[in-house]
Amino acid sequence: MRKGRRVVVPFGKRKLAGVVVDEGQEADLKGYKAKELLDVDMELPPLSEELLDLTKWIAKYYMCSWGEAARSALPPGSAAATARSRIKTVIMVGLSPNAPEHPPRGSKQFAILEQLRIWDAAERLPVTQTELLAAAGGTSATVRRLAQMGFLEIDVAEMDRSGGGSSDRDSSRLDLHKEQVRAIEAISNQLDSGKFGCFLLHGVTGSGKTEVYLQALQHARKTGRTAIVLVPEISLTPQTVYRFRSRFGDEVAVLHSRMSQGERYDAWRGIGEGRYPIVIGPRSAILAPVKNPGIIIVDEEHESSYKQYDPAPRYHARDVAVVRAMNNGATCILGSATPSLETLSNARQGKYTLLEMPERVPIAGKPAKLPDIHVVDLRNEKTLRQQNRVLSERLVNAIAARKESSEQTILLLNRRGFSPIMECTSCGWVPECSDCSVSMVYHKPLHHLRCHYCGRTAPVPVSCSSCGQPTMDFAGSGTQRLEEELEERIPGIRLLRMDLDTTSTKGAHHRILDQFGRGEADVLLGTQMVAKGLDFERVTLVGIINAEAGLQLPDIRAEERAFQLLTQVAGRAGRANLAGEVLLQSRQPGHPVIQFALRHDYAGFAEYALEARSLLNYPPGGKLFSIVFSGPKDEITRKYAEQWRNLIDSRLQSVDRLGPSPAFVHKLKNRFRYQILLKVPTNVPSSHVRNGIQEANKALGSLSDGYRLTVDVDPAGVI
Ligand code: ADP
Ligand code: ZN
Ligand code: ZN
């Protein structure tokens, strides 16, 4: 049996799906009788040795089973121990060139033949059997009989539902500017060496990173090797995908999360058989079955959507990308305008080569500038709150002016401000945990504030600790309200709203962006979705409604994400020959993160944030493991977590152990959740931590029905 084949095996009374990971000599079964395999999937190309190895690494690193990891490398649905044929076939029917002279006897046979002759005269043959039977009546048996008698020809064709490929190409390369040339040269040399190398391509928004990816890909394809391009979320980056499609045409398979099972299955098969040497997709595409990958590109490498939380494997696709490239002697490119601190620190340590593109692509020979960013201090806009409004006079005027001159505006409302966080409406002060430097979250049932990293609690403040005013309130405001306010204040304004509500249907993103691109609206307003990858030349204004939102989330990366978001969205303005402007509204204009964003100062931000992280042993100054217990009863779940914490105490004295404390989302789908966080200093080997965790799990024994323990290595975001 070939390694990597998907099989179905009997397991007690059940049937389970599996993957052949090894073939051996006759095993010593010690008296047990070996059972026969029930089924072998011969349609799906077997998992390659390379992917078997990679999934084994994932299982070990992210602490899950090999089976869980291998499942991610198969198209969804194929892990179910059921029917095998998922390939859809169609039966095509045509007339036989040497049909008998005499007509067939049956009336049904006659009708079918007549219909085919009509279509033949109209040059419409061959047709599908389904279409034929619908038009002429009869059954598939009639068709088969006619074929046996020599009247017809039948052909069975496989249908490819993946929609991969399109043959129109636009291979016109752009003339590269100086920094692009330098980047391409370094990458090409690496590709030619045939050895592993990883680059951090740090280029400001609009510096032409995508063009570098495209030409690097072209170079890799010339050497005959395949490629994977990861993008954060396909539906949010249609413009990027379009550029790859038009350069590489039918070599490209695009994977996305809204594909049906059948579509994914076909795409997977096409990739495995080498029909699509270039794969573009979100995080799961990193396990696509390309053979001999020569280049792996991770666009917007800082994006948190590359980390999978549920189910296992809880992998980070960017990190798996680096490992996969390493295993294959491939070149890896991590690109971003705001690299994650982890990647930055890897580059500084010399693990990755840093390529910088600090300037925008020049337009018509003139240097293109990053947009000017101005702050609107909301503390001076006292009437807004009374009127229940969120837009300052200055922003409204700026939007109206753009409308007059047929330019466009993008408005960002940061949804991350919606967790129950308290802030002072006079000065913007937010209560923080003194041990963790994250903001505390309001808990309604107990009416107190709590730190979700260490569990410390504090009473709800009556007045602000910073300015002394009795003006503590909850933060937040919605896109719909913003829409109403704009319509009321700028009569006749044409709006497009992009948020979870307006984009729940297939293709909705595309539609909204197309409309905006055609100039059918003056304003595109929305949540984080409007911040990424959009390249519209008439957008000259970006407004940020609540720039400080998200800064106070109980997450060690809260400030990093806020900075990234501000920089990304600001980068949407003034990308062509019209100059851009950004108006950033904030109640905390003096906050360091906002100040760095104002000055386009990534380096300054990185210094500031890295120092804070390393002081607290947070990544990249240390490693995190998050252990979450969940279950139907609050008390029992907490007890399990406490027992586990006791078991780990003796085993891992060299690491910081925090918790258990209620998880950020304490109750999720009627399950209670408790989290223990392990902070591992850089000098403690993580194998030691993994062993400790495994021993503790073993010592705890199996949990009662409905209770669950999950381990999350390198967790991202609030859990
Ligand atoms: P980034 O991905 O760094 O934000 P893009 O690759 O989207 O930047 O490039 C910004 C714009 O500049 C795009 O419209 C792109 O087509 C254009 N562009 C990129 N490189 C060049 C070049 N060398 N010459 C002219 N235009 C370019
Ligand atoms: Zn704390
Ligand atoms: Zn205050």
Side-chain angles (χ1 to χ4, degrees):
M1 176 60 45
R2 175 104 181 263
K3 264 198 199 183
R5 282 262 180 235
R6 194 176 65 91
V7 294
V8 179
V9 293
F11 196 82
K13 284 193 185 118
R14 292 181 298 161
K15 291 180 187 176
L16 293 179
V19 173
V20 178
V21 297
D22 208 354
E23 45 197 345
Q25 319 295 324
E26 294 261 319
D28 176 10
L29 293 171
K30 304 201 168 71
Y32 286 99
K33 221 173 123 233
K35 288 186 186 161
E36 296 275 326
L37 292 173
L38 295 176
D39 197 3
V40 179
D41 186 338
M42 299 303 288
E43 286 165 357
L44 204 61
L47 265 190
S48 63
E49 194 97 13
E50 185 243 328
L51 278 170
L52 282 172
D53 286 348
L54 185 66
T55 51
K56 196 172 183 179
W57 178 86
I58 289 174
K60 187 167 161 240
Y61 185 90
Y62 292 104
M63 305 192 72
C64 65
S65 72
W66 195 0
E68 284 169 322
R71 185 170 51 198
S72 307
L74 295 168
S78 53
T82 50
R84 27 195 298 208
S85 189
R86 241 165 261 89
I87 296 174
K88 203 152 171 207
T89 52
V90 273
I91 299 172
M92 304 300 295
V93 185
L95 283 170
S96 164
N98 33 23
E101 300 274 319
H102 61 89
R105 264 162 300 167
S107 62
K108 277 187 197 154
Q109 294 175 351
F110 190 82
I112 285 179
L113 213 54
E114 271 304 299
Q115 183 62 55
L116 283 171
R117 290 197 172 121
I118 292 168
W119 278 336
D120 187 37
E123 293 182 47
R124 278 204 49 204
L125 293 186
V127 294
T128 64
Q129 178 174 277
T130 319
E131 193 182 351
L132 175 63
L133 297 181
T139 64
S140 55
T142 333
V143 175
R144 260 201 316 276
R145 184 78 196 106
L146 280 167
Q148 280 163 7
M149 296 189 297
F151 287 99
L152 310 181
E153 285 184 343
I154 297 182
D155 198 14
V156 179
E158 274 177 21
M159 215 162 79
D160 185 340
R161 293 156 292 188
S162 67
S166 88
S167 39
D168 44 320
R169 289 182 186 217
D170 165 19
S171 49
S172 57
R173 297 155 151 244
L174 298 169
D175 284 331
L176 298 182
H177 63 77
K178 191 171 87 245
E179 280 144 0
Q180 284 175 319
V181 171
R182 249 206 311 259
I184 280 293
E185 276 175 5
I187 293 165
S188 304
N189 287 339
Q190 188 66 49
L191 280 166
D192 290 340
S193 78
K195 294 204 189 87
F196 164 71
C198 183
F199 294 93
L200 165 56
L201 180 62
H202 177 200
V204 298
T205 54
S207 59
K209 294 185 289 294
T210 313
E211 189 60 30
V212 172
Y213 303 150
L214 288 166
Q215 299 205 14
L217 259 183
Q218 270 165 336
H219 195 93
R221 288 296 301 136
K222 267 193 256 153
T223 64
R225 299 181 72 180
T226 62
I228 297 177
V229 180
L230 297 185
V231 291
E233 168 62 64
I234 289 280
S235 53
L236 299 186
T237 45
Q239 289 179 319
T240 310
V241 172
Y242 174 77
R243 284 163 76 182
F244 282 92
R245 262 267 159 88
S246 57
R247 198 76 55 103
F248 297 100
D250 51 14
E251 294 201 332
V252 178
V254 178
L255 303 174
H256 53 87
S257 47
R258 286 180 181 173
M259 276 175 137
S260 71
Q261 273 197 14
E263 287 168 338
R264 262 189 92 88
Y265 188 89
D266 291 353
W268 222 250
R269 236 173 118 244
I271 297 163
E273 289 166 356
R275 253 181 291 146
Y276 308 120
I278 299 173
V279 177
I280 301 185
R283 65 170 180 257
S284 57
I286 194 53
L287 293 169
V290 292
K291 301 243 160 60
N292 191 17
I295 187 164
I296 302 181
I297 295 167
V298 186
D299 188 24
E300 311 286 4
E301 67 82 28
H302 62 274
E303 279 288 328
S304 53
S305 65
Y306 286 130
K307 179 70 162 68
Q308 166 142 320
Y309 178 63
D310 243 349
R314 297 181 174 78
Y315 66 103
H316 199 305
R318 174 199 60 215
D319 298 338
V320 174
V322 176
V323 172
R324 191 163 183 195
M326 200 183 300
N327 294 347
N328 286 280
T331 298
C332 187
I333 306 177
L334 310 178
S336 174
T338 51
S340 64
L341 297 176
E342 285 84 350
T343 298
L344 179 71
S345 109
N346 278 328
R348 288 194 175 162
Q349 290 166 35
K351 289 189 204 159
Y352 307 159
T353 307
L354 179 61
L355 301 171
E356 293 195 275
M357 301 203 294
E359 273 162 35
R360 282 191 159 182
V361 176
I363 292 155
K366 281 185 292 180
K369 271 181 43 197
L370 285 168
D372 285 329
I373 308 185
H374 305 287
V375 168
V376 180
D377 187 343
L378 287 183
R379 292 171 306 182
N380 301 332
E381 309 269 332
K382 296 249 182 320
T383 52
L384 279 184
R385 232 173 240 268
Q386 292 154 15
Q387 298 167 329
N388 204 18
R389 287 177 163 178
V390 294
L391 294 165
S392 62
E393 204 62 37
R394 182 167 175 195
L395 185 50
V396 171
N397 291 340
I399 297 169
R402 294 313 190 286
K403 173 176 178 286
E404 287 312 307
S405 57
S406 312
E407 291 167 32
Q408 292 177 302
T409 302
I410 288 180
L411 274 186
L412 169 75
L413 181 91
N414 193 340
R415 280 283 304 179
R416 290 207 184 98
F418 274 83
S419 62
I421 284 167
M422 303 209 70
E423 68 170 8
C424 168
T425 56
S426 309
C427 76
W429 176 78
V430 172
E432 282 192 354
C433 171
S434 51
D435 285 348
C436 304
S437 76
V438 294
S439 57
M440 301 185 91
V441 172
Y442 175 64
H443 277 251
K444 205 167 169 193
L446 296 171
H447 191 60
H448 67 195
L449 299 177
R450 187 187 289 155
C451 167
H452 280 272
Y453 276 80
C454 71
R456 172 191 291 270
T457 61
V460 172
V462 182
S463 57
C464 173
S465 302
S466 176
C467 73
Q469 300 287 323
T471 46
M472 296 303 297
D473 200 353
F474 298 100
S477 144
T479 42
Q480 238 163 343
R481 220 172 83 201
L482 179 61
E483 195 175 12
E484 287 161 15
E485 182 179 337
L486 265 174
E487 279 166 349
E488 178 201 316
R489 295 178 68 182
I490 309 179
I493 190 124
R494 297 166 307 156
L495 299 169
L496 282 168
R497 179 158 64 93
M498 196 150 104
D499 56 21
L500 279 184
D501 295 337
T502 61
T503 55
S504 53
T505 56
K506 199 167 170 171
H509 281 104
H510 272 166
R511 257 198 318 281
I512 296 174
L513 294 177
D514 280 351
Q515 280 176 280
F516 192 60
R518 286 196 302 266
E520 288 170 20
D522 307 303
V523 177
L524 173 67
L525 71 91
T527 52
Q528 274 79 331
M529 295 176 188
V530 302
K532 291 164 196 166
L534 304 182
D535 189 15
F536 294 111
E537 56 181 13
R538 300 212 67 79
V539 172
T540 55
L541 175 68
V542 164
I544 301 166
I545 307 301
N546 49 348
E548 69 281 354
L551 276 173
Q552 279 81 21
L553 267 188
D555 174 357
I556 55 157
R557 294 184 183 83
E559 294 193 338
E560 186 182 1
R561 296 216 195 296
F563 178 81
Q564 286 161 347
L565 181 67
L566 294 178
T567 308
Q568 291 293 334
V569 71
R572 301 311 109 210
R575 291 171 70 86
N577 46 10
L578 299 168
E581 182 187 12
V582 178
L583 285 181
L584 182 158
Q585 302 193 138
S586 176
R587 272 176 217 290
Q588 294 171 270
H591 192 290
V593 169
I594 291 181
Q595 287 294 318
F596 289 123
L598 274 182
R599 298 194 297 266
H600 302 285
D601 185 3
Y602 171 80
F605 169 75
E607 273 338 297
Y608 156 85
L610 278 172
E611 189 180 322
R613 297 271 184 93
S614 73
L615 273 175
L616 295 164
N617 278 340
Y618 281 134
K623 201 171 167 59
L624 290 180
F625 288 75
S626 156
I627 290 86
V628 172
F629 283 84
S630 62
K633 291 235 163 68
D634 194 2
E635 196 48 31
I636 297 175
T637 314
R638 189 175 56 79
K639 285 222 169 88
Y640 272 132
E642 276 163 6
Q643 275 174 29
W644 193 89
R645 161 78 206 246
N646 289 335
L647 290 166
I648 208 77
D649 275 344
S650 54
R651 290 174 170 86
L652 291 180
Q653 276 152 3
S654 52
V655 311
D656 258 347
R657 289 140 279 140
L658 308 177
S661 62
F664 178 61
V665 187
H666 180 204
K667 193 176 177 191
L668 186 67
K669 292 180 189 151
N670 270 325
R671 296 169 65 79
F672 292 89
R673 306 160 81 233
Y674 284 85
Q675 183 186 31
I676 295 158
L677 200 64
L678 306 180
K679 279 206 276 187
V680 185
T682 38
N683 60 359
V684 176
S686 44
S687 56
H688 173 64
V689 182
R690 288 193 175 77
N691 289 340
I693 292 174
Q694 257 145 11
E695 279 174 33
N697 293 353
K698 216 176 270 168
L700 186 67
S702 53
L703 308 180
S704 311
D705 257 7
Y707 290 85
R708 204 155 72 100
L709 177 172
T710 59
V711 181
D712 191 2
V713 184
D714 305 335
V718 285
I719 296 157

